[in-house]
Amino acid sequence: MTDPDGPEVQPPPGNRSATLFRHLHRFKDHPVITTLVVIGEIAGLVALVVGLIKWVLPNDPATAELPTVTVSTSSTPPPTSSSTPVSSPAAEPGCWTSRRTAIDCREPHRYEEIPQAATCDYAVVIDFLGGQVGLDITVAKVAQLSAGRCSVDAGRDVSGSARDALQGPTSAAWRRCVDRRVTKNVPCSALHSGEYVGTGSTRRATDPECQLAAAKYLDQVPGALVEDLEVRVFAVASGTKDPARCIIDARGNHLLTTSVHNLGTRPVPILS
């Protein structure tokens, strides 16, 4: 039997469990108390460990609270930098020189493609130039280049697109006139004696048809200008492809300096 007043019995070396609970030998005669003490000490140890974990976790970057991220629901796109140039696709050359070499339409050229042309005839050219089909007559012609491209043939070198040229301030350069002095057709921007007009028909015109066509072309009743201008039938056979059917002539030996198209109430441009 062990003496309770004797020296404390040391547990064998290397036994950690015995070292931790070495004081329990005092309650060896009371197993219930021993069990309660063990449970209490284990509970305290667990509480200590949990406390340490709670103290460490808030300082752990991996478990720290993340900042709140606000997601915008606005449909407005984010601003973009204006310093970044936006390149546009280069347009394919639509014009050609007299030698049929593709070139930018801003450069001198003779031919210009008519895009998406359903047909390729004189009426398509007039429409592309912004004129009235069946009435306006132009120095330009129709040309069909390689690959079936329907084009305007200006008959000379021009710069810039011919689209709507008959509506612009330089329309006289695209209208067809005649100079009786040399019996040649010339642009109406040059000195000339008469200007061609169409009737919308391919047959030979009559005097009444030419009077009506001239009234539309001049935006004026020809009779009001009888002292300066004369309307006559152009001697061309029926069925001729060229739509010119009438001529608005300057009387006598007078010459006109520009086109009489849409003359209205303005003075007749006679060379003085």
Side-chain angles (χ1 to χ4, degrees), residues 212-233:
L212 181 60
K216 293 179 180 178
Y217 193 80
L218 292 165
D219 191 26
Q220 175 64 276
V221 178
L225 307 171
V226 69
E227 293 183 359
D228 298 315
L229 300 176
E230 176 187 8
V231 179
R232 62 183 179 86
V233 176

Side-chain angles (χ1 to χ4, degrees), residues 103-236:
I103 193 172
D104 191 301
C105 292
R106 292 171 293 186
E107 302 297 330
H109 60 276
R110 177 171 175 173
Y111 304 98
E112 180 176 355
E113 181 180 1
I114 302 175
Q116 300 178 347
T119 59
C120 192
D121 53 22
Y122 190 84
V124 171
V125 170
I126 293 294
D127 186 66
F128 181 76
L129 296 177
Q132 184 174 343
V133 177
L135 184 67
D136 292 324
I137 306 298
T138 179
V139 293
K141 300 178 181 179
V142 62
Q144 193 159 2
L145 303 184
S146 59
R149 293 181 174 181
C150 185
S151 305
V152 174
D153 178 4
R156 65 197 188 283
D157 281 348
V158 296
S159 297
S161 175
R163 184 184 290 275
D164 295 333
L166 290 177
Q167 297 181 9
T170 61
S171 66
W174 290 88
R175 297 183 182 277
R176 193 200 310 172
C177 289
V178 61
D179 185 351
R180 71 166 68 96
R181 298 173 301 175
V182 292
T183 61
K184 287 186 178 180
N185 293 331
V186 295
C188 294
S189 55
L191 285 176
H192 58 277
S193 57
E195 187 163 353
Y196 292 100
V197 180
T199 63
S201 173
T202 59
R203 68 175 184 271
R204 185 183 179 95
T206 64
D207 286 329
E209 288 174 338
C210 283
Q211 289 291 327
L212 181 60
K216 293 179 180 178
Y217 193 80
L218 292 165
D219 191 26
Q220 175 64 276
V221 178
L225 307 171
V226 69
E227 293 183 359
D228 298 315
L229 300 176
E230 176 187 8
V231 179
R232 62 183 179 86
V233 176
F234 180 44
V236 60

Side-chain angles (χ1 to χ4, degrees), residues 17-73:
S17 176
T19 301
L20 183 62
F21 299 108
R22 60 189 177 185
H23 59 284
L24 296 179
H25 71 280
R26 299 173 183 175
F27 308 103
K28 62 181 180 178
D29 295 329
H30 304 280
V32 175
I33 295 177
T34 301
T35 301
L36 292 175
V37 170
V38 171
I39 293 174
E41 290 187 354
I42 291 176
L45 181 60
V46 171
L48 178 62
V49 172
V50 171
L52 289 174
I53 292 175
K54 288 183 178 181
W55 180 83
V56 172
L57 284 180
N59 299 279
D60 186 355
T63 60
E65 183 179 0
L66 296 177
T68 303
V69 179
T70 303
V71 180
S72 174
T73 58

